Amino acid sequence: MVSCEGGGYTWSANSQQNALTPWPNDPVSDSPHDVLYLRDEDSGEFWSATALPVRVESAVYRAAHGKGYSRFSNDAHDIELDLLQFVPLADSLKLSRLRIRNGSARARRLTLTAYVEWALSANGVNAAPFVVTSLDASTGALFARNAWRAEFGGRVAFLDLAGAQTRATGDRAEFLGVHGDVGCPAALASGVVLSARVGAGLDPCAALQTSIDLAPGAQTE
């Protein structure tokens, strides 16, 4: 489920008992827990692929919901983004295809960050102490599991950037910062390198990053 500004949540098999990301029971703030960020490594500016959580006032945002898909686009900081999200009919996956085009007259050095706050519990339950994260050695995907559940404890959630990720963390405090929020993640504001910290006893999340170099007018997906 996704709103026109990028909020919503994801579940598997049971929308009340097995939320993968927190259910945002707040129609006013519409705070997202699943975000794609871009950061310009030359200027330090960062923004999101959807209107929330990091809106650029000068940008034009578009959202379209069709039969089985949602599409978002914006043109912030001379970077044109086109994000298509859908769930395949035969696979238990949420797929996000992001097209990035350099609309400026200069080469751009960008960092793409995919961020997810894990729930892995029934709606309204704080399961963070029981969620354990790990990095898959062969693919670089970040796994998350809450084994302390009778019905869904054997399931494993994951986040992956099609194998392109080079940096990661499973620690939400590291990515957002102390008292931080998705509107201004400390790791993006400072440009620090993610530590690859995963395991038990963390405030669990998944944050994966990859670097993108684009010549003027160039596009990648």
Side-chain angles (χ1 to χ4, degrees), residues 64-75:
H65 303 289
K67 188 175 181 179
Y69 73 90
S70 290
R71 171 171 258 149
F72 307 89
S73 62
N74 69 66
D75 57 355

Side-chain angles (χ1 to χ4, degrees), residues 89-203:
L89 294 177
D91 294 303
S92 183
L93 298 168
K94 174 185 177 180
L95 295 180
S96 299
R97 186 198 69 190
L98 182 65
R99 288 176 172 165
I100 308 169
R101 181 182 179 275
N102 180 3
S104 68
R106 61 184 178 90
R108 306 295 291 272
R109 296 188 309 122
L110 305 172
T111 294
L112 171 65
T113 302
Y115 166 80
V116 169
E117 177 186 347
W118 296 120
L120 306 189
S121 62
N123 290 335
V125 175
N126 179 16
F130 309 106
V131 175
V132 179
T133 54
S134 61
L135 286 169
D136 182 55
S138 60
T139 65
L142 197 149
F143 295 161
R145 181 182 178 188
N146 179 0
W148 293 90
R149 309 191 65 207
E151 186 175 356
F152 301 103
R155 290 171 172 253
V156 179
F158 71 93
L159 180 68
D160 182 46
L161 281 178
Q165 56 269 15
T166 57
R167 302 175 295 280
T169 185
D171 185 355
R172 195 164 72 112
E174 175 189 352
F175 182 71
L176 296 184
V178 179
H179 307 303
D181 61 62
V182 290
C184 188
L188 297 185
S190 63
V192 299
V193 177
L194 299 181
S195 67
R197 187 183 184 197
V198 292
L202 304 175
D203 185 359

